[in-house]
Amino acid sequence: MNANFGMGLVLLLLAPVASAQVYKCKGASGETVYSQDPCGAGSEPMKLRSNRAASESAGEASNRAAVYRTTGMSDAGIAERNCLQGEQTRIYGPLEARTQAVNRQVAELDRQLADARSAPAEASSPLSTATLESGIRAQLSSLQQSLSSERVAADAQMSAARERCASARREQEDRVNQQYATPAGPSS
């Protein structure tokens, strides 16, 4: 089902329940968009008609509440996914940039190490070559340990972010459940 059609249908169903105005607008790509806010200067609200009876049966009210509840639960799931994507970008984005920088440093140190090993024996003493190689290996090890520590820290931050996003979802689901709880009927 087309998202615009679905949104229009929801707005039309809500019209008798809510007294908000609905405006029919053209989107940036020429698509039809429905909004609670005027689209621009001279916008006039749509006249919504309803074929629904003035009163709603218990079954209709229950169905309406079920649709709203399902929509609210879906919104909670979408909000959680958006939260996780935002947190992942915030946490792992800088780590990815740092990883790329470290990889460039490692490549340069590897090149220096290869140069030190291939230098003619008369150009440097074996002791100075060994000292140079040892220093380069120490730098490589330090970079790898630093990057590993940063990844562990990022993973811990992401774990905490997952819990925050999941907690926000559970809270939103609880609000939806409370808002659309079906009242208990008379017991038989």
Side-chain angles (χ1 to χ4, degrees):
M1 179 176 355
N2 182 328
N4 289 333
F5 176 75
M7 181 59 144
L9 183 61
V10 168
L11 290 173
L12 289 174
L13 290 174
L14 291 176
V17 178
S19 61
Q21 296 294 328
V22 176
Y23 297 86
K24 183 176 180 180
C25 312
K26 288 290 183 189
S29 304
E31 75 277 8
T32 301
V33 178
Y34 297 92
S35 172
Q36 292 179 354
D37 302 315
C39 311
S43 294
E44 292 187 25
M46 290 180 58
K47 293 183 181 180
L48 302 175
R49 289 174 275 167
S50 174
N51 293 333
R52 294 176 54 173
S55 64
E56 179 175 71
S57 72
E60 290 171 329
S62 177
N63 286 342
R64 183 176 44 80
V67 168
Y68 290 165
R69 182 181 175 284
T70 300
T71 302
M73 292 299 200
S74 178
D75 288 349
I78 291 168
E80 181 182 28
R81 282 191 299 279
N82 290 341
C83 176
L84 287 171
Q85 287 174 346
E87 289 296 304
Q88 189 167 8
T89 299
R90 181 185 68 80
I91 293 168
Y92 288 117
L95 180 62
E96 182 59 34
R98 172 81 171 120
T99 299
Q100 290 174 1
V102 166
N103 287 340
R104 286 190 297 274
Q105 289 176 309
V106 166
E108 176 58 25
L109 289 170
D110 283 341
R111 187 194 57 76
Q112 290 175 15
L113 188 58
D115 288 349
R117 289 181 181 153
S118 65
E122 60 275 351
S124 60
S125 72
L127 181 59
S128 65
T129 301
T131 303
L132 178 62
E133 287 179 14
S134 176
I136 292 172
R137 283 192 195 99
Q139 288 177 352
L140 285 168
S141 177
S142 175
L143 285 171
Q144 290 167 344
Q145 286 176 349
S146 172
L147 193 57
S148 178
S149 294
E150 290 175 36
R151 181 159 300 281
V152 167
D155 290 344
Q157 288 177 351
M158 192 63 203
S159 179
R162 278 187 194 96
E163 182 52 41
R164 282 192 308 274
C165 294
S167 178
R169 177 185 181 159
R170 286 188 298 270
E171 289 172 7
Q172 188 172 351
E173 287 174 341
D174 287 346
R175 285 191 300 273
V176 168
N177 280 329
Q178 289 172 359
Q179 185 175 2
Y180 298 109
T182 54
S187 54
S188 322

